[in-house]
Amino acid sequence: MDSKNSSKLKLLCVLELLKKYSDEEHPVTAQTLCELLKTHYDIAAERKSVYSDIECLAASGVNIVKVSRKGFFLAERTFELAEIRLLQDAVLAAGFVTDRRSREICEKLCGELSVYQAQRVRLQTHFEGRPKSENEHFIYSVDTIQRAIAEGRRVEFSYYKRRINGGMVTRELVRTHVVSPYALIWDRDKYYLVGNYDKYGDLSHYRIDRMGSVRILDERSRPFEEVCGYSGSFDPADYARKAFGMYSGEQAQIELLCSLDLLERVADKFGSAAFYESEGGCFRVKAEALLSEGLVEWLLTLGASCRVVEPEDLRRRLRERARAVLMAQSDKETLT
């Protein structure tokens, strides 16, 4: 390798060593960088040339801080330490990501930190005891579906459900679906495909961790304008706000009367909907939502602190479900 290319390589190696072995609490000296260059890359260097490399990196925009005689550290990274922890917690909480894949992703995230920061994060990361999917093809299914959405083509996939077999919970094939895919939505630690099943004129949801053998077809997707109220582009964020537990249903205007102690929970769900103060320590909220079983189940969790003002159909479904729950807690052996 000629001296010019060798110099460029050394510059990149110095940057990589600063990334790996320095942080605010662990500055590294030029002499230590010389030793690390020799140990890791078999590159012989003098302190003067390392100083020159650091000046060059700083001039190009790399944020390197000099700490008196203690040395240098990389002060700015792609992700901050708190961001790495946030991303790791999201991966660990995601039940649709397998245990093996969760470990791999967390380790890749640690690679963005210094060895000292990474060690601290690893000690605070706990994998055991978390319910995780066993579908190792999940990542590839997501990639295939994303490509299908971008290309405007339908996808075909096998769909599975759990059953009890000999005292064990196993998976069995339900059917093969052909769907026009519109969006991928993460909801309640599950990942869903939102799309249109050819036989129906509305939207359906499919858990991606229950899919297998996903492939893109040559057929063009059905325009989403034909099966939902969006025009121009499908809005996943707006749709997720209106859907409850990824149940489909007819969109409608709902109004709730709630006690103030529910404000945080209701605001978390409806976001920028219209909220009004009411008498007796209550508030009203008017929002667009899908009238679905998921909405009924969510309203039940609010208990007697929430009353449905409208529509009447939603009030009726809520009363019927409440009676069914009450009956299920009777002393009868069978469930209706």
Side-chain angles (χ1 to χ4, degrees), residues 121-285:
V121 169
R122 290 189 186 100
L123 291 173
Q124 298 171 353
T125 304
H126 304 285
F127 294 92
E128 292 73 18
R130 297 174 181 267
K132 287 287 189 177
S133 168
E134 296 179 359
N135 185 354
E136 291 288 353
H137 298 288
F138 170 82
I139 294 293
Y140 309 110
S141 297
V142 170
D143 180 65
T144 301
I145 293 168
Q146 286 177 329
R147 286 191 290 114
I149 293 172
E151 296 172 11
R153 300 192 180 277
R154 304 186 189 203
V155 292
E156 180 184 79
F157 55 86
S158 301
Y159 206 56
Y160 297 86
K161 71 175 182 180
R162 292 187 177 97
R163 66 184 295 266
I164 298 176
N165 184 8
M168 300 288 291
V169 176
T170 60
R171 291 202 317 163
E172 68 173 11
L173 177 64
V174 179
R175 64 196 303 181
T176 297
H177 292 267
V178 174
V179 172
S180 296
Y182 304 134
L184 294 171
I185 294 179
W186 185 342
D187 182 79
R188 297 186 184 183
D189 295 329
K190 299 290 188 298
Y191 212 21
Y192 295 89
L193 163 63
V194 179
N196 169 251
Y197 184 51
D198 290 358
K199 294 182 178 181
Y200 304 107
D202 57 6
L203 297 174
S204 299
H205 312 119
Y206 305 89
R207 276 177 48 178
I208 299 179
D209 59 309
R210 292 175 56 185
M211 293 181 183
S213 305
V214 182
R215 68 186 187 95
I216 301 176
L217 303 179
D218 292 333
E219 305 169 44
R220 301 295 299 176
S221 290
R222 183 178 182 180
F224 59 80
E225 290 89 347
E226 295 182 4
V227 295
C228 65
Y230 297 110
S231 177
S233 63
F234 189 88
D235 190 340
D238 178 72
Y239 186 78
R241 179 179 60 82
K242 294 174 181 176
F244 285 77
M246 285 295 103
Y247 285 89
S248 59
E250 181 183 351
Q251 182 170 307
Q253 174 89 10
I254 69 170
E255 180 178 350
L256 307 177
L257 176 65
C258 308
S259 63
L260 281 173
D261 60 327
L262 292 181
L263 182 58
E264 291 291 343
R265 292 178 64 183
V266 176
D268 282 345
K269 183 58 190 175
F270 292 113
S272 58
F275 287 79
Y276 308 92
E277 290 188 23
S278 189
E279 298 178 355
C282 297
F283 68 92
R284 290 174 180 264
V285 58

Side-chain angles (χ1 to χ4, degrees), residues 326-334:
L326 182 61
M327 289 296 296
Q329 307 312 313
S330 67
D331 293 331
K332 295 180 179 180
E333 290 291 331
T334 58

